[in-house]
Amino acid sequence: QVHLAESGGGLVQAGGSLRLSCAASGGTISNYSTGWFRQAPGKEREFVAGISWSGGSTYGADSVKGRFTISRDNAENTVYLQMNSLKPEDTALYLCAARSRGILYQAAKYDYWGQGTQVTVSS
């Protein structure tokens, strides 16, 4: 069973950047497809970006395309989310999740979750 731990969140001004990390333990992250999700207060959890278990395919929500990039470092057993040109509407709790098959956009399809890291973007 893989355990996931997010870090890298914080408070940033609009237009700024952050890099989130999702470190895996108890398992090899490259055996899983990994997704980043976010949840703002009063809103549903939404898919942000994903990387397939092979690392050969990445996916991004329309709202973050051209601004956010997902990547993985197999040696570090970590998945990253580079976030540039941040907007106030990006403010949310960001969570990483893993599943043993391909990337899906539905949060309910993921088996393993971290606790999340808060991102707050001020205007």
Side-chain angles (χ1 to χ4, degrees):
Q1 178 173 337
V2 66
H3 297 277
L4 305 173
E6 303 92 335
S7 61
L11 174 64
V12 64
Q13 289 188 332
S17 299
L18 285 173
R19 189 178 78 155
L20 306 184
S21 299
C22 173
S25 60
T28 302
I29 195 67
S30 59
N31 288 340
Y32 301 88
S33 292
T34 306
W36 281 98
F37 291 78
R38 65 186 181 188
Q39 188 164 19
K43 295 189 176 181
E44 292 187 356
R45 192 167 293 186
E46 65 170 342
F47 176 85
V48 175
I51 184 166
S52 64
W53 65 269
S54 68
S57 298
T58 60
Y59 307 83
D62 288 342
S63 59
V64 305
K65 281 182 179 176
R67 300 189 298 124
F68 292 10
T69 303
I70 189 169
S71 62
R72 189 175 71 204
D73 186 328
N74 290 340
E76 295 292 328
N77 214 26
T78 299
V79 171
Y80 300 98
L81 184 68
Q82 178 67 44
M83 305 187 298
N84 299 328
S85 302
L86 283 160
K87 305 175 181 179
E89 51 263 43
D90 294 319
T91 295
L93 180 69
Y94 282 72
L95 307 103
C96 67
R99 65 189 307 269
S100 58
R101 297 187 178 182
I103 285 291
L104 292 175
Y105 296 162
Q106 301 93 331
K109 299 295 186 180
Y110 286 75
D111 302 308
Y112 307 103
W113 289 86
Q115 294 298 309
T117 185
Q118 179 67 37
V119 171
T120 303
V121 184
S122 63
S123 57

